[in-house]
Amino acid sequence: MSDGAAEMAAVAREILALETAALRRWCDGDPSGFLAISAPDVTYFEPFLARRLDGLQALTAHYEALRGKIRAERFELLDPVVRPLGDAGAVLSFDFVSWSGAEARRLDWHCSEVYALTSEGWRIVQTHWSLPRNAAASG
Amino acid sequence: MSDGAAEMAAVAREILALETAALRRWCDGDPSGFLAISAPDVTYFEPFLARRLDGLQALTAHYEALRGKIRAERFELLDPVVRPLGDAGAVLSFDFVSWSGAEARRLDWHCSEVYALTSEGWRIVQTHWSLPRNAAASG
């Protein structure tokens, strides 16, 4: 059995791997990666929705409408930090940059993801994507 | 001893009361309410910062520069939801509306706050404020 710090590092690695794999699919037009790791009671914020979206069913409907429409050739998670909350939760936060198109248009985002440990593994219970003002992104 | 559901409801009430009290001070130009309930390792996103801000010291410097400059006569938390993460954490999410000035200018925000239970009580470890696009807010 590893000590607490090693366990925390393992949790951080696992969560970061889940997020990165889902982002890789997302940037290839496929929202199923995120849908597969979001909890039934997920809550979701993004700048193009005026209000919070509640529940996996609503998130699925929203994401299916975007399927095939989003593409980025390259992305980076800047300074991702995983902050554990006891044994049952953790919050991942990072700044996100993606580049897409022939002109490699850059988009900058803030992102926080709250993960809960469920019987099925780590699942996202809160997602918050936002756009810094005056960033490269224009919506 | 109350059952699990009653305990969860009590936690939700406590966190919502902490947040609302801090917001009341914030809307009166006083950032000390949030600083008093933010953890030393808090991470923080807002639209007017291009990158995540890390730690209470950095948040204090940022907020002190805003002291006395923010005022709203009235605010509302729309549909606040507290999602517990075991016994040690919880995430609060809500849409926020405030009204300020003689013309009662309306500002709309998304907000998620991750709270951790520490030896000093509930403390915010992750704050994320963002502006919906095409909302009343113009930064």
Side-chain angles (χ1 to χ4, degrees):
Chain A
M1 186 71 172
S2 54
D3 64 6
E7 272 182 57
M8 270 167 50
V11 165
R13 273 196 305 276
E14 182 179 355
I15 285 175
L16 201 53
L18 286 170
E19 184 79 15
T20 305
L23 280 167
R24 200 164 288 129
R25 293 176 70 176
W26 178 261
C27 288
D28 200 34
D30 175 11
S32 299
F34 275 115
L35 293 173
I37 60 169
S38 293
D41 63 342
V42 65
T43 59
Y44 174 89
F45 289 119
E46 59 151 71
F48 303 106
L49 294 174
R51 295 284 300 273
R52 189 187 61 210
L53 190 154
D54 287 350
L56 186 56
Q57 194 173 351
L59 184 62
T60 301
H62 178 59
Y63 271 3
E64 288 301 339
L66 297 172
R67 185 177 292 277
K69 295 181 180 168
I70 287 164
R71 204 156 298 269
E73 282 74 40
R74 194 160 70 84
F75 65 85
E76 269 180 37
L77 283 69
L78 307 180
D79 301 327
V81 170
V82 177
R83 207 287 191 186
L85 300 151
D87 297 327
V91 52
L92 164 65
S93 66
F94 56 93
D95 287 301
F96 179 81
V97 189
S98 67
W99 293 266
S100 62
E103 295 162 10
R105 180 166 170 269
R106 175 178 172 146
L107 277 165
D108 283 82
W109 295 83
H110 298 319
C111 181
S112 55
E113 299 270 35
V114 182
Y115 280 80
L117 188 56
T118 74
S119 57
E120 302 190 312
W122 289 98
R123 289 293 181 272
I124 299 171
V125 295
Q126 215 291 310
T127 290
H128 195 157
W129 285 95
S130 72
L131 294 165
R133 291 273 162 143
N134 306 318
S138 60
Chain B
M1 186 73 172
S2 53
D3 66 5
E7 273 181 57
M8 270 167 49
V11 165
R13 272 197 306 275
E14 182 178 356
I15 284 175
L16 201 53
L18 285 170
E19 186 78 15
T20 305
L23 279 167
R24 201 163 288 130
R25 293 176 69 176
W26 179 261
C27 288
D28 199 33
D30 175 11
S32 299
F34 276 116
L35 293 172
I37 59 168
S38 293
D41 63 343
V42 63
T43 59
Y44 174 89
F45 289 119
E46 61 151 67
F48 303 106
L49 294 173
R51 294 286 298 274
R52 189 187 62 213
L53 189 154
D54 289 349
L56 186 56
Q57 194 173 350
L59 184 62
T60 301
H62 178 59
Y63 271 2
E64 287 301 338
L66 298 172
R67 184 177 293 277
K69 295 182 180 167
I70 288 165
R71 204 155 300 268
E73 282 74 40
R74 195 162 70 84
F75 65 86
E76 269 180 37
L77 284 68
L78 307 180
D79 299 326
V81 169
V82 177
R83 206 288 191 188
L85 300 151
D87 297 326
V91 52
L92 164 66
S93 65
F94 56 93
D95 287 301
F96 179 82
V97 189
S98 67
W99 293 267
S100 61
E103 295 161 11
R105 179 166 171 269
R106 176 179 169 144
L107 277 164
D108 282 82
W109 296 83
H110 297 319
C111 181
S112 55
E113 300 270 34
V114 183
Y115 281 80
L117 188 56
T118 74
S119 57
E120 301 189 313
W122 290 99
R123 290 292 181 272
I124 299 171
V125 295
Q126 214 293 310
T127 289
H128 195 157
W129 285 95
S130 73
L131 293 165
R133 289 273 162 145
N134 306 319
S138 59

